[in-house]
Amino acid sequence: MMNSFVALFLAVIILKVLWDIMLDLLNMRYSTSPNAKIPDVLKDKISEEDFEKAKMYLKDRVTLGVVKKITSLILTLVYVFFLFPFLEKALEGKGAFILQSLLFFGIYALIDYLVELPFKVYSIFVIEQKYGFNTTTPKLFVKDQIIGIILGVIIGVPIVPIMMWLLNKFTVWWWQLSILSSAFLLFFMIIQPLVIAPLFYKFSELDDEELKSKLRALLDKSGVKVPNIYKMDASKRTKKQNAYLTGIGKSRRLVLFDTILSYNHDEVLSVVGHELGHHVRKHIPKLLLINIVFISFVLYITNAVYRMILETKVFGVSQPYTVFAYSFLFVSSLMFFLEPILNYLSRKMEYEADEYSTKLLGTPEPLISSLKRLVKENLSNPNPMPLYKVWHYNHPAPEERIKRLMEMGGIGKNG
């Protein structure tokens, strides 16, 4: 049984990475082949030059992604066969159990961070720079990394002891940990816009009074109460555009990337209308509930695997923190194969938000125009492989969204 489980453990972890890499490569071949064409609905906005540039951007990102995933797989195997048992033995007798847990997860996180860092640097300062997206300076990058590490410590230091106390005290701990995770999720939704986001970005009042007035009228029409409308200095890091509605209750705020303010007012309103659609159609509480159920399911399976590994000592480890690391590594890899279900639900909600934006503005044309601009200016892949979309896309592909919007407005294919 022990050898069978180890074989299953390795098979799941390796299959997950190989399947993911295969999807990336097949999607790249499909999207960049000589037969790939600009979708008809995008031909009025995307030139052949834009299309070729998007292909090259996809190739560069996939190449880096594949190297990163292979590196991550190798590191995971090193963890499984060497580092986890080594760390448990090295930490034996090093203070109390909670201190050992903190050191274990701290070293684990540090190694992951150091391995991922070169890929992050290359992505930002080589690939994003090459295609004109990056505006991050090395100084700002270092500052972001330092803040991120400090936040990780502030969040992790109290959570790890509580989690390890539960694992040490109870045989069945998944439901207690689910409650803890759900509470943290809600807490994070409240503090993220108020405390965490301002550490990285500067938020200021929108100074375009005409646009602000139009946005207020749109908010009143939707019935969504948003205390504040902010402009965010996203241009310090990227030239990509976005807008979002975040937070709950008094922490709710509408945020516009300063990069999207070059869009005309109707286009901005259509993007905001889409975000409002998520709130009016109750997508936020629905997604929260889905996440809570999913987290609970993951922890339930993790608890079962944890007990089996602890009882059989299949990997030669016995400390709760080490056994949990093995268990969660296995289960999180297993959950990768459920991603298409979660992404299907997300895509369905995106269509509903598009529909709401269309009804709110009385026409789909501004949203169609903004989507076309986003595809062009962000070098999005206009031609993804169908299986890749099913597996990885939590938003419908641009062509599909635009066609659906055209149907809503009774617009001809080339209208």
Side-chain angles (χ1 to χ4, degrees):
M1 176 186 172
M2 287 191 290
N3 289 336
S4 298
F5 178 74
V6 172
L8 176 63
F9 185 98
L10 294 174
V12 168
I13 289 172
I14 294 170
L15 180 61
K16 178 251 182 183
V17 176
L18 293 182
W19 175 249
D20 203 15
I21 289 173
M22 186 182 77
L23 282 177
D24 284 341
L25 295 176
L26 288 175
N27 180 58
M28 183 177 71
R29 188 175 72 173
Y30 178 92
S31 302
T32 61
S33 73
N35 295 326
K37 305 294 180 187
I38 302 171
D40 290 342
V41 295
L42 292 170
K43 282 182 177 177
D44 64 326
K45 183 63 71 173
I46 297 179
S47 66
E48 285 296 333
E49 183 182 351
D50 295 328
F51 190 41
E52 290 305 313
K53 193 174 180 182
K55 287 181 182 180
M56 294 304 298
Y57 184 49
L58 177 66
K59 284 180 180 178
D60 286 349
R61 287 186 296 117
V62 168
T63 301
L64 179 66
V66 168
V67 175
K68 182 180 176 182
K69 285 167 187 175
I70 291 172
T71 304
S72 178
L73 175 60
I74 293 170
L75 179 62
T76 299
L77 295 176
V78 171
Y79 280 140
V80 169
F81 290 111
F82 173 69
L83 271 177
F84 285 164
F86 172 80
L87 282 174
E88 179 177 291
K89 189 172 181 181
L91 293 172
E92 189 177 354
K94 300 290 191 298
F97 163 69
I98 294 300
L99 177 61
Q100 292 177 28
S101 303
L102 286 168
L103 288 171
F104 177 87
F105 286 110
I107 294 168
Y108 186 6
L110 179 62
I111 294 170
D112 267 358
Y113 173 79
L114 292 175
V115 170
E116 186 183 354
L117 185 60
F119 294 100
K120 191 180 293 185
V121 170
Y122 189 88
S123 174
I124 293 172
F125 293 104
V126 178
I127 296 178
E128 297 297 301
Q129 188 78 28
K130 176 181 176 181
Y131 292 94
F133 293 129
N134 178 50
T135 56
T136 304
T137 62
K139 182 180 178 181
L140 183 59
F141 177 81
V142 171
K143 178 186 172 185
D144 285 349
Q145 298 310 300
I146 292 171
I147 293 172
I149 291 169
I150 292 170
L151 281 174
V153 171
I154 290 172
I155 293 168
V157 166
I159 286 178
V160 168
I162 296 170
M163 186 173 74
M164 289 300 108
W165 179 81
L166 289 171
L167 265 64
N168 210 24
K169 185 172 179 63
F170 301 102
T171 303
V172 177
W173 41 257
W174 68 270
W175 63 269
Q176 296 100 321
L177 207 50
S178 297
I179 293 171
L180 178 67
S181 301
S182 302
F184 175 76
L185 200 58
L186 280 168
F187 177 68
F188 187 81
M189 287 177 68
I190 296 169
I191 68 162
Q192 194 277 337
L194 297 176
V195 179
I196 296 176
L199 294 173
F200 296 94
Y201 295 97
K202 180 182 177 183
F203 294 85
S204 56
E205 287 289 335
L206 186 63
D207 47 14
D208 185 334
E209 292 299 329
E210 184 185 351
L211 177 58
K212 187 190 289 186
S213 176
K214 289 179 179 179
L215 287 169
R216 280 291 170 204
L218 195 72
L219 290 168
D220 291 341
K221 189 176 179 181
S222 71
V224 178
K225 296 186 184 302
V226 179
N228 299 296
I229 301 174
Y230 289 109
K231 175 178 68 175
M232 187 180 90
D233 64 339
S235 58
K236 285 177 66 177
R237 291 169 175 81
T238 183
K239 291 182 181 178
K240 293 183 177 180
Q241 304 86 5
N242 202 2
Y244 63 90
L245 191 58
T246 186
I248 55 177
K250 291 184 179 179
S251 73
R252 184 178 291 165
R253 55 182 58 191
L254 172 61
V255 178
L256 305 179
F257 280 26
D258 55 0
T259 51
I260 205 172
L261 296 178
S262 62
Y263 285 30
N264 68 50
H265 286 183
D266 285 344
E267 289 172 336
V268 175
L269 290 173
S270 70
V271 173
V272 172
H274 172 92
E275 296 304 317
L276 289 171
H278 286 307
H279 285 258
V280 172
R281 297 293 171 87
K282 309 297 182 188
H283 293 163
I284 309 305
K286 286 177 184 176
L287 282 172
L288 181 62
L289 180 61
I290 289 169
N291 280 327
I292 289 171
V293 170
F294 184 71
I295 289 169
S296 299
F297 175 67
V298 168
L299 289 172
Y300 174 78
I301 303 298
T302 303
N303 197 166
V305 174
Y306 174 93
R307 290 175 65 183
M308 192 275 292
I309 292 175
L310 195 61
E311 289 167 6
T312 60
K313 292 186 170 50
V314 62
F315 291 106
V317 295
S318 58
Q319 289 294 340
Y321 49 82
T322 324
V323 178
F324 182 83
Y326 277 107
S327 307
F328 193 75
L329 186 62
F330 173 70
V331 175
S332 59
S333 296
L334 202 58
M335 292 304 110
F336 167 78
F337 297 97
L338 294 181
E339 279 188 17
I341 298 171
L342 298 176
N343 285 333
Y344 167 77
L345 296 172
S346 178
R347 290 194 301 270
K348 188 172 181 294
M349 291 179 183
E350 293 301 322
Y351 278 131
E352 290 176 359
D354 281 351
E355 181 184 0
Y356 181 81
S357 178
T358 298
K359 289 180 177 177
L360 194 63
L361 272 72
T363 173
E365 292 187 16
L367 187 55
I368 291 171
S369 176
S370 64
L371 284 171
K372 288 180 178 182
R373 286 191 66 171
L374 285 167
V375 173
K376 176 185 173 72
E377 294 168 15
N378 291 348
L379 292 180
S380 301
N381 179 9
N383 233 340
M385 182 179 71
L387 179 59
Y388 190 86
K389 288 187 290 187
V390 168
W391 206 278
H392 280 303
Y393 273 40
N394 56 18
H395 282 58
E399 179 185 10
E400 294 164 353
R401 289 181 73 180
I402 292 169
K403 283 182 176 179
R404 179 74 69 92
L405 286 165
M406 285 178 162
E407 289 171 6
M408 290 178 200
I411 304 170
K413 188 171 72 171
N414 297 313

